[in-house]
Amino acid sequence: MTEQVVNASNEWDPLQEVIVGVADHSCFPFEPRIVVENTVPARYWDEHRPHNPFPEEIVAKACEQLDNFAKVLTDLGITVRRPKVVDFSSLETPGYTASMVRDAITVAQDRIIEAPYSWRSRNHESLAYEDLFKHYEAQGAKVYRRPPPPADVDALLGPGERHREYVINDNRPAFDAADFIRLDKTIIGQLSNTTNRSGVKHLEKCLEGTGIEVVLVESLDSHAFHIDATITPLREGLLIYNPTYITVEELQKVERLKGWKFIPAPFPKPREYPPFFMSSAWLIMNILVIDPKRAIIEAEDDHLADLLLEHGITPIRVPFQYVHSLGGSFHCTTVDIRRDHSTSA
Ligand code: DAV
């Protein structure tokens, strides 16, 4: 039997092939003010103007750190592929980045699913991924490209049904792939400021025939967007969680997590520079698990390193603080293409 090139259904089996994002020409995503105010830190709201690139020094260092991260993975024997560089600052419609690939794409078994993003600044992001989609299609993967965005760019913001206080309504399917975490036949997801109920239904449609079920948990955070600074599975039976974003009781409701051990993440150290333009310091949790015994973490996150060691996991420390400035860490900037599931239960 020939091996499938695309086959990744959880977050911890041995990683064999991965996409690592590119940061060149990244810009502050320009979105309506109400969207900005519901998702990113207040001190940088005014930076979200059309065609406003992140500071040059930060982008240059983020590019270096991403290249170094890609090399670390290659040296571990993992195949690394990168998106195409797109100049997001010169597109007619303001764009954001191709560094946060986890928001854009998820993989389930042999399927690659592109998110029907809620942000209009991501409407042209597929330009960076199309060559990869074609490459993997030619290798036998099924690719579910995003449905075309509706002509009415404000469709998600006007009157309509909303979940809690979240900014988007349910008028068209919307999700970011980073609102979902994969645990084999269960995907844990959340409704958020980027994911609505129709978006979850759209994902379920893309998963038809896989036997994978989507289970939603409720975030404590009114600014929720993306679940990958909320729960981080480390291996079968063990996860770290962010006590400010989710309760243990909420996790205990998930059948797939019966018998799991939940460890609270250490509180992150505050930092002034490089700035967290797009997120909180909880990106500490946004690690990439290489296999059940090793994980890539930010070079300075000593408390997390100690915690992983206590649980038999070797931390591989990689500098990544300039990438944080663009909105994510190791999990956000990667898409697992293939993990070796042959040894898992
Ligand atoms: O804590 O700001 C980070 C989400 C990363 N995409 C936070 C969530």
Side-chain angles (χ1 to χ4, degrees):
M1 200 178 84
T2 51
E3 208 196 339
Q4 282 171 334
V5 171
V6 177
N7 183 22
S9 296
N10 67 32
E11 309 275 339
W12 60 84
D13 276 339
L15 185 63
Q16 297 178 318
E17 180 158 340
V18 69
I19 300 173
V20 172
V22 290
D24 312 66
H25 308 294
S26 299
C27 293
F28 285 92
F30 174 59
E31 295 293 324
R33 185 74 179 198
I34 185 164
V35 172
V36 172
E37 290 184 4
N38 273 276
T39 46
V40 299
R43 57 198 284 211
Y44 304 113
W45 285 349
D46 291 341
E47 298 292 337
H48 293 258
R49 301 185 298 275
H51 304 290
N52 182 29
F54 289 101
E56 210 177 304
E57 189 217 355
I58 288 191
V59 175
K61 292 200 168 140
C63 287
E64 269 173 37
Q65 293 192 328
L66 279 160
D67 290 349
N68 176 60
F69 172 42
K71 183 170 181 315
V72 169
L73 294 171
T74 307
D75 290 348
L76 290 169
I78 297 162
T79 303
V80 175
R81 295 192 191 274
R82 313 290 301 270
K84 192 169 97 184
V85 170
V86 170
D87 186 351
F88 290 103
S89 64
S90 72
L91 294 176
E92 201 177 317
T93 321
Y96 169 33
T97 188
S99 57
M100 302 299 147
V101 288
R102 186 79 62 172
D103 307 350
I105 301 164
T106 194
V107 172
Q109 298 173 4
D110 63 344
R111 301 183 186 191
I112 294 181
I113 302 164
E114 185 186 14
Y117 320 95
S118 54
W119 286 6
R120 63 195 65 181
S121 56
R122 307 196 86 147
N123 278 353
H124 299 287
E125 214 173 294
S126 322
L127 290 171
Y129 312 133
E130 185 52 32
D131 291 352
L132 288 170
F133 291 158
K134 290 210 177 90
H135 166 82
Y136 288 119
E137 258 169 350
Q139 314 265 329
K142 298 186 191 75
V143 178
Y144 296 75
R145 289 174 179 75
R146 72 166 302 183
D152 174 9
V153 289
D154 286 324
L156 285 172
L157 299 179
E161 213 169 294
R162 279 180 169 70
H163 185 66
R164 294 177 30 190
E165 63 277 69
Y166 298 143
V167 69
I168 58 169
N169 63 34
D170 203 26
N171 291 353
R172 65 134 172 117
F175 73 73
D176 274 6
D179 271 319
F180 300 90
I181 289 279
R182 298 150 318 128
L183 300 94
D184 306 306
K185 290 291 172 77
T186 302
I187 290 181
I188 299 180
Q190 67 179 11
L191 299 173
S192 73
N193 285 288
T194 44
T195 293
N196 62 19
R197 267 191 210 284
S198 310
V200 175
K201 286 205 190 95
H202 175 80
L203 175 62
E204 286 170 335
K205 240 183 136 41
C206 299
L207 293 170
E208 263 169 26
T210 61
I212 297 172
E213 182 195 17
V214 181
V215 175
L216 297 181
V217 291
E218 202 63 59
S219 174
L220 296 171
D221 180 18
S222 62
H223 289 193
F225 88 116
H226 304 165
I227 201 168
D228 53 356
T230 303
I231 46 177
T232 307
L234 299 173
R235 60 172 179 249
E236 179 65 38
L238 184 68
L239 64 74
I240 47 180
Y241 72 99
N242 177 335
T244 69
Y245 285 176
I246 198 152
T247 63
V248 167
E249 292 69 35
E250 188 63 15
L251 294 172
Q252 281 167 341
K253 289 182 200 157
V254 179
E255 185 62 33
R256 175 70 177 88
L257 297 178
K258 285 270 156 9
W260 280 52
K261 187 176 165 90
F262 307 129
I263 328 168
F267 271 72
K269 284 183 268 181
R271 181 178 90 210
E272 274 301 311
Y273 194 87
F276 287 105
F277 288 129
M278 300 278 304
S279 73
S280 75
W282 282 107
L283 287 185
I284 175 183
M285 296 190 49
N286 196 271
I287 65 178
L288 182 69
V289 175
I290 298 297
D291 59 37
K293 292 198 154 56
R294 291 177 299 175
I296 309 256
I297 72 162
E298 213 291 321
E300 310 268 318
D301 287 337
D302 297 333
H303 292 135
L304 183 64
D306 292 345
L307 185 84
L308 293 181
L309 281 168
E310 265 172 47
H311 290 87
I313 294 165
T314 306
I316 302 172
R317 292 161 174 257
V318 174
F320 223 49
Q321 294 191 348
Y322 287 92
V323 182
H324 291 173
S325 295
L326 311 182
S329 194
F330 304 105
H331 194 262
C332 293
T333 53
T334 50
V335 173
D336 321 345
I337 289 294
R338 192 172 65 259
R339 287 183 181 266
D340 179 4
H341 297 310
S342 64
T343 53
S344 62

